[in-house]
Amino acid sequence: MTGSLVLADPAPPRRPRIPRLLRQAAFRRYWSAQTVSLFGDQITVLAVPLLAVLAFGAGPAEMGYLTAAALLPNLFFSLPAGALVDRYPRRRQVMIIADVGRAGLLLTVPLLWWADVLNLPLLCAITFLIGVHSMFFEVAHISLFAALVRRADYVEANSLVNGSRAMSHVAGPSIGGVLVQVLTAPFALLSGVLTYLISAAFLARTQVTESPVPKGSGRGMAAGVRYVARSAVLRSTLLGTTTLNLFNYMFAALFVLYVTTELGVSPGLLGLIIGAGAVGGLLGAAVTGAISRRIGIGPAVLLGFVAFPAPMVLVPLATGPQPLVLALLFAAEFVSALGVMVLDIAVGSVQIAATPVAMLAVVSGFRRTVNYGIRPIGAVLGGTLGAAIGVRPALWFASLGALLGVLWVFFSPLRTMRALPTPGGGTG
């Protein structure tokens, strides 16, 4: 008996699946603008402090002033900026102006450096103005997001945006470090200028029908604060995230000091651990949609409130041989980064859904005011507590205290909420 072996044609290679939302031109351009802008932020966040240290010999106090200059606009101007943006019918235009403004301000740094007139106070002033533009960009993008994305797609869209955020945290500092090494800090900022201009170009090509501004009064700052105070969903998520941020920044103020001095981890190893752990954020962005569909959006919020802070306990728990210490630190960073993505995506989707479109910017501004306001308070309290009772006990206090944030949400309608809420308080 004879025969022949017939070989089947090889199966054609499978094309990578493009997320459905990215096949829509308007959302794809919005997402591209967000992604490029986030990478610009990460390059700037690294290059500006390095410029202050390397060029001006900035010490701890000067670095504190520089950091404060970037944060103060969020603390003092987010709420009035939100009220202004809600009254302006073209939020996309606000974002374009913010991008172009940031690019222009950032461009002045290498130009002033080349002219030999740049100094630390001037750098702080430029950083402050860049922070003002970034704050307007962030406040306005919530309203544009709601104009582009259907309610049913909020979680998927937030997963894509937060996935870009996670990727920027993984790759952005590395890219920024290489650029500083090759170009020097002042001229590395030119890459940041380019990212903001590219972001503005993507936004300029984004076709979107924005909601008209309703006539009448009652849409200002006070109205935004009242709305959050009266909404069980918005009130509980704001109190929960504020509590978590308070203890998280207490923890952050002591983390590097503890790991490098008491655990003996070198700065290089610590950087690798943080960078590798941030990959957990990419995983979190990928799985949050499936988690929220499986257990419901409310339980997903509760999960994020636990999964983000709980791994912090591994840091004060880390003792023994260095391989074990490094493994525990990596686990803490990886799982915490995964948890913060679940939290950010789920909470962000809930907050947008629970807010009337006409008040999205002012409500977002109020949230930023509270959450950014609590961060320096937490950092100061963390340093004070560490000096009073020791760094390790203070880390235990902060890591366990951060878990208290979940209580605000547990005793709220979110505990049993399966679908996204509506502005009126129901679900839909």
Side-chain angles (χ1 to χ4, degrees):
M1 182 176 180
T2 62
S4 60
L5 180 64
V6 179
L7 297 177
D9 291 334
R14 296 181 64 182
R15 293 182 180 180
R17 184 184 175 191
I18 300 175
R20 178 176 52 84
L21 285 174
L22 293 184
R23 295 194 215 99
Q24 301 172 12
F27 181 82
R28 183 172 64 249
R29 289 165 183 162
Y30 160 82
W31 173 81
S32 299
Q34 285 284 95
T35 301
V36 175
S37 177
L38 287 166
F39 272 87
D41 290 343
Q42 288 301 310
I43 293 170
T44 303
V45 161
L46 180 68
V48 169
L50 282 175
L51 173 62
V53 172
L54 299 176
F56 305 119
E62 289 81 6
M63 294 302 288
Y65 299 146
L66 189 62
T67 302
L71 290 174
L72 283 175
N74 293 286
L75 177 58
F76 292 117
F77 304 138
S78 288
L79 183 56
L84 286 172
V85 169
D86 274 335
R87 291 191 176 99
Y88 189 67
R90 292 185 289 275
R91 286 82 173 197
R92 179 174 64 100
Q93 193 175 76
V94 173
M95 296 173 68
I96 294 171
I97 292 171
D99 267 335
V100 174
R102 290 189 289 186
L105 287 164
L106 209 54
L107 181 60
T108 64
V109 176
L111 292 178
L112 292 171
W113 171 263
W114 179 75
D116 199 26
V117 294
L118 186 66
N119 54 42
L120 193 58
L122 193 53
L123 184 62
C124 286
I126 294 170
T127 301
F128 175 83
L129 292 173
I130 291 173
V132 172
H133 285 74
S134 295
M135 178 266 302
F136 269 99
F137 184 95
E138 290 296 325
V139 167
H141 101 83
I142 299 294
S143 298
L144 187 62
F145 177 96
L148 283 167
V149 181
R150 298 181 308 136
R151 283 176 54 85
D153 295 330
Y154 279 179
V155 173
E156 181 184 351
N158 268 314
S159 296
L160 290 168
V161 173
N162 279 279
S164 295
R165 189 180 304 276
M167 180 60 76
S168 74
H169 282 281
V170 174
S174 301
I175 295 171
V178 171
L179 290 171
V180 170
Q181 187 75 29
V182 174
L183 303 175
T184 71
F187 295 102
L189 291 172
L190 292 174
S191 60
V193 173
L194 182 62
T195 61
Y196 291 137
L197 292 177
I198 292 173
S199 173
F202 275 121
L203 288 170
R205 297 184 62 217
T206 302
Q207 301 298 318
V208 58
T209 302
E210 299 190 60
S211 302
V213 179
K215 295 181 180 180
S217 58
R219 313 219 71 85
M221 293 184 286
V225 175
R226 283 196 302 270
Y227 190 85
V228 173
R230 292 170 181 171
S231 167
V233 169
L234 295 177
R235 184 176 65 248
S236 62
T237 53
L238 178 60
L239 290 170
T241 53
T242 302
T243 301
L244 196 159
N245 274 331
L246 172 68
F247 288 100
N248 184 44
Y249 273 78
M250 291 175 64
F251 186 95
L254 302 171
F255 173 73
V256 172
L257 177 66
Y258 177 74
V259 169
T260 55
T261 59
E262 299 199 25
L263 297 184
V265 177
S266 68
L269 271 177
L270 178 59
L272 289 174
I273 289 169
I274 293 174
V279 176
L282 296 173
L283 178 60
V287 302
T288 300
I291 290 172
S292 64
R293 288 190 295 271
R294 175 64 66 89
I295 67 176
I297 191 67
V301 171
L302 286 167
L303 176 63
F305 266 103
V306 175
F308 172 29
M312 295 179 185
V313 301
L314 296 177
V315 175
L317 192 65
T319 57
Q322 190 175 58
L324 176 61
V325 168
L326 296 177
L328 289 173
L329 293 177
F330 172 79
E333 290 292 328
F334 185 90
V335 181
S336 185
L338 190 157
V340 77
M341 280 294 114
V342 175
L343 179 62
D344 283 352
I345 293 167
V347 165
S349 301
V350 164
Q351 289 173 332
I352 295 172
T355 306
V357 172
M359 300 181 72
L360 277 169
V362 71
V363 168
S364 172
F366 176 53
R367 289 200 307 267
R368 289 175 68 85
T369 299
V370 176
N371 276 316
Y372 276 82
I374 204 67
R375 293 176 183 188
I377 295 173
V380 171
L381 288 176
T384 303
L385 190 64
I389 66 174
V391 175
R392 191 179 183 193
L395 286 173
W396 274 113
F397 179 83
S399 57
L400 294 174
L403 289 166
L404 296 175
V406 73
L407 296 179
W408 294 106
V409 180
F410 184 81
F411 295 105
S412 80
L414 279 163
R415 186 177 74 251
T416 57
M417 188 175 288
R418 299 286 303 179
L420 287 171
T422 62
T427 58

